[in-house]
Amino acid sequence: MDALIYVLIAVLSGSGVLLFSKVKNKKVVDQKEAAPVVAVAVPAAVENESVVIEAKTAAKEIVVEAKDEALKITTEATQKAKEILGRTEEAEKNVAVDKAQLEAKARDIEEKARSLKLIKESIEKKQLDVDDLFRQQKEKLEQVSSLTKEEARNLLLERFDKELVDEKGRRIKEMEERISKDSDLKAQEILMDALKFGATDYIVDYTTSRVKIPDDEIKGRIIGKAGRNIMSFEKLTGVELDLDSTPGEIIVSSFDPVRREIARLALERLITDGRIQPVRIEDIVEATKKEVDHIIFKEGDGLCHRLGVYNLPKEVVETLGRFKFRFSYGQNMTKHTLEVVKIGVAIAHELKANVEVVKMGCLLHDIGKVLNDEEGNHIQIGVDYLRKQNIADEVMACVAEHHEDKPYSSLESAIVGLADHISGARPSARSEDYESFAKRMKDLETAALSFDGVESAYAISAGREVRVFVKPERVDDASTALLAREIAKKIELEQNYPGVVKVTVIRETKVSETAK
């Protein structure tokens, strides 16, 4: 490529002379810069067409190679231009970022300078105030130094009087706030004491129900042959029937109100049905028990609905339904509970206590009275029962303290106790409170049930008799008399009771067959 290429260019001219130009590195040199041209005179006749064609071909190749080289150079130049442009743009971006950072720093510096200026001005102002105060104090000292003892004393007292006025105003305000708070508490105490003075503790409880009969002849059918009917009825219901005390009526006696209600309804149905016999008695008593269970739940649900309480467990609602058949404070316990809740809620609103806690405490305060299967007083029985039902501690405290067995732990407990006392203030009399009576009845039955072979036991005649039914397959006739004596001895040694207690042990064999 670097060698000198001699290109023959045929120039057809009128003179017929061929000129030879010298080209270096494939570039055609301008005639002014070209090497000396060697002219050779060739006769016009010697002109050869093939030489011309070769010369043209060589010229075209040189032109193509020149264009390729020019394109390559252009491409490289363009690429380099793009790279230079990219670096330029990146440099511009960096310059812009640096400029923004510098502007932010400049603004920050300006803000700090402004803050420092304000601080400086504040310091200068305080310094001026200090200087002014110092000047005033200096002037006052100069004045005091020229005052007499009496003048200085009067000036000091005048300053103290001003300070005392401010202190007096502050203390009066504090005293007013304290008096307001103490007066509220005192008003609550006065109201509570006033309510306590209005409460009494007279209670009337009912342990009998009466069933009217169309004529006295029905009593004989109720007794049955050899007393089979009445014995079967009393065993199945756990009550005592008194057929002799009142003409035209049969008295159903039991300390358990639910048992007494079941017996009353069953006896009325037997009298209406007319078929009074052990099998029929058993069927009607069983059906009546199911109906009474339904009545109990419906009564409890109705009580809760009337009081707006809807979040109690089903078992608690059913237990509250037993209030329908229980009497306390001279009235049905459902009515007593409604009255206690109304009184308690009214007092809670007046004293700004927790109304919901008071409402629940009043509703559940006597729930232990209908839990006859447990031992203890109705307060402890109720608290233990409510604890199993996950009732709130605040409500259980109201139940536990409503008779002041424990000191009141809250205003809500005191309100529940007062509402109960107010509702129980009934002009009546009692020889024995219901709780002691129920406990004595329960203890008599428990004493009998503690012996092996006893199937069931019922305290009747207000605790003057215990009727015991034994399992005939485990207790024979000879052992029956011995069992009765042992039960009576146990009651005599362990329990306190008025008068005497009669123990009756009954052994009954019943065999049933089905005809097919």
Side-chain angles (χ1 to χ4, degrees):
M1 299 290 296
D2 295 331
L4 294 176
I5 302 173
Y6 290 90
V7 179
L8 178 63
I9 302 174
V11 179
L12 297 178
S13 61
S15 60
V17 178
L18 291 175
L19 299 176
F20 291 91
S21 296
K22 181 180 179 182
V23 180
K24 185 177 182 180
N25 291 334
K26 299 183 181 181
K27 296 181 181 179
V28 179
V29 183
D30 189 68
Q31 289 183 1
K32 293 179 181 181
E33 297 177 358
V37 178
V38 179
V40 181
V42 181
V46 185
E47 188 177 72
N48 192 334
E49 185 177 353
S50 61
V51 174
V52 173
I53 292 171
E54 290 178 359
K56 288 182 178 182
T57 301
K60 287 180 179 181
E61 291 177 355
I62 292 171
V63 171
V64 170
E65 289 179 359
K67 287 182 178 181
D68 290 343
E69 187 70 19
L71 180 61
K72 181 178 179 182
I73 292 170
T74 303
T75 302
E76 291 177 354
T78 303
Q79 184 66 27
K80 289 182 179 180
K82 287 181 178 181
E83 292 177 357
I84 293 170
L85 182 61
R87 288 195 296 270
T88 303
E89 291 177 351
E90 183 69 22
E92 290 176 353
K93 289 180 181 179
N94 293 335
V95 169
V97 171
D98 293 341
K99 182 178 179 182
Q101 292 177 350
L102 289 173
E103 290 176 353
K105 289 181 179 180
R107 287 194 297 271
D108 188 41
I109 291 171
E110 290 177 0
E111 185 66 25
K112 289 182 177 179
R114 193 158 40 249
S115 299
L116 290 173
K117 183 178 179 182
L118 293 175
I119 293 171
K120 182 179 179 182
E121 292 176 354
S122 176
I123 293 173
E124 290 175 351
K125 184 178 179 181
K126 289 182 178 180
Q127 183 64 42
L128 292 175
D129 293 340
V130 170
D131 294 341
D132 186 57
L133 181 62
F134 178 76
R135 181 181 57 76
Q136 293 176 5
Q137 293 295 329
K138 185 177 179 181
E139 291 176 355
K140 288 182 179 180
L141 287 174
E142 290 175 353
Q143 293 175 0
V144 169
S145 61
S146 60
L147 292 175
T148 64
K149 181 178 180 180
E150 188 65 24
E151 290 175 342
R153 179 174 175 276
N154 292 334
L155 181 63
L156 186 62
L157 289 176
E158 182 182 351
R159 182 177 300 174
F160 282 165
D161 287 340
K162 184 178 180 181
E163 293 178 356
L164 285 174
V165 168
D166 295 338
E167 181 68 17
K168 188 187 299 182
R170 183 180 62 81
R171 290 197 176 188
I172 289 174
K173 184 177 180 181
E174 292 177 354
M175 187 64 69
E176 288 176 349
E177 293 176 353
R178 189 183 313 143
I179 289 173
S180 176
K181 183 178 179 181
D182 292 343
S183 62
D184 290 340
L185 294 175
K186 191 64 178 177
Q188 293 178 6
E189 293 175 1
I190 292 171
L191 179 58
M192 304 289 277
D193 291 339
L195 292 174
K196 281 185 178 181
F197 285 126
T200 59
D201 290 321
Y202 294 107
I203 303 172
V204 173
D205 295 293
Y206 301 102
T207 60
T208 61
S209 298
R210 297 176 181 271
V211 177
K212 294 185 180 296
I213 56 176
D215 54 68
D216 287 343
E217 293 181 0
I218 199 71
K219 293 182 179 180
R221 297 175 59 188
I222 292 173
I223 295 172
K225 186 177 180 181
R228 290 174 53 200
N229 292 345
I230 192 171
M231 288 176 61
S232 177
F233 185 87
E234 289 180 344
K235 177 182 178 182
L236 291 171
T237 58
V239 302
E240 179 187 19
L241 297 182
D242 184 356
L243 287 72
D244 302 326
S245 297
T246 309
E249 290 182 339
I250 298 175
I251 298 176
V252 181
S253 177
S254 175
F255 75 93
D256 189 319
V258 178
R259 286 187 204 166
R260 191 170 64 249
E261 181 66 14
I262 292 172
R264 185 185 68 80
L265 293 175
L267 186 58
E268 289 178 349
R269 292 175 181 178
L270 281 170
I271 293 172
T272 303
D273 183 71
R275 293 174 292 173
I276 304 175
Q277 52 182 318
V279 175
R280 185 61 179 164
I281 290 172
E282 187 173 355
D283 292 342
I284 288 183
V285 169
E286 188 64 29
T288 305
K289 286 180 178 178
K290 293 180 180 179
E291 182 178 344
V292 169
D293 288 341
H294 177 70
I295 292 172
I296 287 172
F297 181 79
K298 187 175 180 181
E299 180 71 15
D301 187 60
L303 176 62
C304 293
H305 182 73
R306 291 173 68 180
L307 297 176
V309 177
Y310 304 102
N311 57 348
L312 287 177
K314 183 178 180 180
E315 184 178 346
V316 176
V317 174
E318 182 178 0
T319 304
L320 290 172
R322 299 184 190 179
F323 287 178
K324 178 179 176 64
F325 308 112
R326 170 74 162 83
F327 288 86
S328 178
Y329 296 100
Q331 63 180 174
N332 180 274
M333 274 193 60
T334 299
K335 296 179 180 179
H336 166 67
T337 302
L338 283 170
E339 190 172 75
V340 171
V341 172
K342 290 179 181 179
I343 294 172
V345 170
I347 296 174
H349 280 298
E350 290 295 328
L351 301 184
K352 296 181 174 56
N354 190 322
V355 177
E356 291 302 317
V357 171
V358 171
K359 182 190 291 185
M360 291 293 293
C362 292
L363 175 62
L364 302 173
H365 76 284
D366 274 344
I367 197 168
K369 289 186 176 181
V370 293
L371 298 171
N372 298 319
D373 297 334
E374 304 292 335
E375 294 185 3
N377 62 61
H378 80 277
I379 295 176
Q380 190 58 47
I381 292 173
V383 171
D384 293 341
Y385 175 76
L386 295 176
R387 184 175 290 109
K388 293 177 183 177
Q389 302 299 327
N390 296 322
I391 301 299
D393 293 339
E394 297 86 351
V395 176
M396 287 195 295
C398 294
V399 176
E401 299 163 7
H402 77 275
H403 279 326
E404 293 188 85
D405 293 349
K406 297 180 180 179
Y408 291 134
S409 61
S410 64
L411 180 61
E412 290 74 17
S413 293
I415 292 173
V416 173
L418 287 174
D420 182 49
H421 283 304
I422 294 170
S423 178
R426 296 292 181 265
S428 184
R430 56 171 180 163
S431 59
E432 184 180 20
D433 64 88
Y434 181 85
E435 291 178 26
S436 300
F437 174 77
K439 184 177 185 302
R440 183 160 59 86
M441 299 297 102
K442 188 65 179 176
D443 291 343
L444 290 173
E445 292 183 353
T446 303
L449 290 170
S450 65
F451 289 87
D452 186 36
V454 176
E455 182 179 10
S456 58
Y458 302 105
I460 58 177
S461 299
R464 292 188 296 272
E465 181 180 355
V466 179
R467 196 163 290 177
V468 182
F469 295 87
V470 298
K471 299 176 182 178
E473 66 273 12
R474 299 184 63 178
V475 180
D476 55 22
D477 290 336
S479 301
T480 302
L482 178 62
L483 179 61
R485 187 162 55 250
E486 290 177 349
I487 294 174
K489 194 68 175 177
K490 182 178 179 66
I491 293 172
E492 182 178 352
L493 293 174
E494 296 180 357
Q495 299 186 24
N496 296 319
Y497 49 88
V500 296
V501 176
K502 179 182 177 182
V503 178
T504 303
V505 179
I506 302 171
R507 180 179 183 270
E508 180 183 21
T509 302
K510 181 170 65 174
V511 179
S512 301
E513 290 290 339
T514 303
K516 299 180 180 179

